[in-house]
Amino acid sequence: MSKKQHFIWGTLLLTGASFLSRIMGFSFRIFLSRIFTEEQIGLYQLIFPIYALCFSFTSAGIELAVSRSVAREISLRKKDRANMFFYTGLACSLVFSIVIMKLLQKNASLISIYILGDMRCEAFIHALSCALPFASIHSCICGYYLGMKQAKITAYSQLIEQGIRVLFTILACQIAPDIIYAVHGIALGEFFSAL
């Protein structure tokens, strides 16, 4: 397969996976809106800026750096150095995510009261903080495989993450409807996509 065909195939695969993931997310939000009240959905949505900020601190730039460094080293036929960049990025990201996870857990009540303005978010912050280490692992692995020009791994992991999150939440809410299961679903989705 030529470089141009490889690029087009990878782009189509990632676009398709992203589209399917968005459709699953859209359907999932409809499910949540039918099961839970507006207030519960609002509490669920309230924690996402905190998660996005923490993810930015722990993984966002590292994934790009890993991808770029791995691609450069692979083009120079230096797979050992590519692996070194991956492991270095993974170690940094994992350390950052564990530190941020512990800070979130220790200060969950303060964040809930003073930043989010609702004490009920404390349990959500605790649950969501557990997703950060797995999200950092997943992010670095995706960066590595994108650098290796193997988009299928990234595409499949994206679908696995979304699928597990949706499936777990739907099953858990059939047993005991509670919005906290949607937050646990995020952590479980990240765990399985990291695997």
Side-chain angles (χ1 to χ4, degrees):
M1 189 181 302
S2 73
K3 287 183 179 181
K4 185 177 179 182
Q5 289 174 326
H6 192 74
F7 175 76
I8 291 170
W9 172 248
T11 302
L12 290 175
L13 188 63
L14 287 172
T15 302
S18 180
F19 181 74
L20 282 173
S21 181
R22 301 278 182 206
I23 294 290
M24 290 167 61
F26 177 73
S27 303
F28 180 63
R29 294 208 189 272
I30 292 171
F31 167 78
L32 291 178
S33 70
R34 291 187 179 164
I35 300 292
F36 300 108
T37 65
E38 294 87 5
E39 184 179 17
Q40 291 171 318
I41 297 291
L43 289 173
Y44 174 70
Q45 293 293 329
L46 199 56
I47 61 170
F48 282 103
I50 299 292
Y51 183 67
L53 183 64
C54 292
F55 183 77
S56 295
F57 285 141
T58 62
S59 303
I62 294 176
E63 178 182 1
L64 183 61
V66 166
S67 179
R68 186 178 181 285
S69 299
V70 166
R72 183 184 64 237
E73 297 304 324
I74 290 299
S75 71
L76 297 173
R77 293 181 172 71
K78 296 180 178 178
K79 187 157 170 57
D80 290 342
R81 283 184 52 85
N83 290 339
M84 181 203 60
F85 279 113
F86 166 68
Y87 289 122
T88 302
L90 181 63
C92 290
S93 185
L94 202 51
V95 167
F96 294 156
S97 65
I98 290 171
V99 168
I100 295 289
M101 178 186 74
K102 293 296 184 187
L103 285 171
L104 280 177
Q105 289 175 348
K106 184 176 181 180
N107 299 301
S109 62
L110 295 174
I111 294 168
S112 298
I113 295 168
Y114 296 111
I115 296 175
L116 301 178
D118 197 318
M119 185 62 186
R120 294 174 291 175
C121 292
E122 183 177 0
F124 295 171
I125 291 172
H126 276 282
L128 196 62
S129 69
C130 295
L132 287 172
F134 302 117
S136 68
I137 294 169
H138 176 220
S139 177
C140 288
I141 291 171
C142 286
Y144 177 78
Y145 281 106
L146 286 173
M148 297 283 287
K149 298 180 183 173
Q150 294 183 11
K152 64 183 176 206
I153 303 292
T154 302
Y156 295 148
S157 71
Q158 184 179 11
L159 292 174
I160 288 169
E161 174 192 350
Q162 186 77 301
I164 294 291
R165 179 171 70 120
V166 169
L167 185 63
F168 170 79
T169 305
I170 289 172
L171 292 176
C173 287
Q174 298 303 317
I175 297 167
D178 191 343
I179 195 71
I180 192 74
Y181 292 127
V183 182
H184 287 299
I186 295 168
L188 199 62
E190 289 291 355
F191 171 75
F192 277 101
S193 65
L195 287 181

